[in-house]
Amino acid sequence: MELLEGQVPVSVLVGENISIHLGTNVPPDELTLVEYVNGVARPISLREGSFQLAQEKGTHYYGAFARWTSPQNSQVSMGDTSFAFVIRGVEKK
């Protein structure tokens, strides 16, 4: 959450599906997502790189981790990255 201090949240309708696109031609072998609720990381289930925003209005903080491994040996890392983002859940007018 500290990484996102001062960032303006993107407004999204509560319950909407959100897709994570990393901008690479090679999808990661592993993609994990957590939502930070009261300072505690809560795992979020992803389906083909997408998840459903919570039904609750308000600000939601997320952290993600992606990892690529060698096609020949899954024990060999080809790289990884992590990032955070913030979303403001709003109701339909």
Side-chain angles (χ1 to χ4, degrees), residues 16-86:
E16 284 289 314
N17 281 331
I18 298 172
S19 294
I20 297 175
H21 298 281
L22 299 175
T24 66
N25 293 333
V26 180
D29 298 300
E30 176 186 347
L31 179 61
T32 57
L33 180 69
V34 296
E35 179 179 9
Y36 294 97
V37 179
N38 298 321
V40 176
R42 183 178 64 123
I44 299 293
S45 180
L46 286 167
R47 184 177 206 164
E48 297 180 11
S50 297
F51 69 100
Q52 186 174 27
L53 182 63
Q55 295 292 333
E56 296 86 22
K57 293 187 312 182
T59 304
H60 301 270
Y61 295 90
Y62 296 93
F65 175 79
R67 178 188 327 251
W68 291 262
T69 56
S70 168
Q72 292 80 23
N73 183 344
S74 64
Q75 299 299 312
V76 176
S77 175
M78 300 300 286
D80 59 57
T81 189
S82 60
F83 54 94
F85 57 98
V86 58

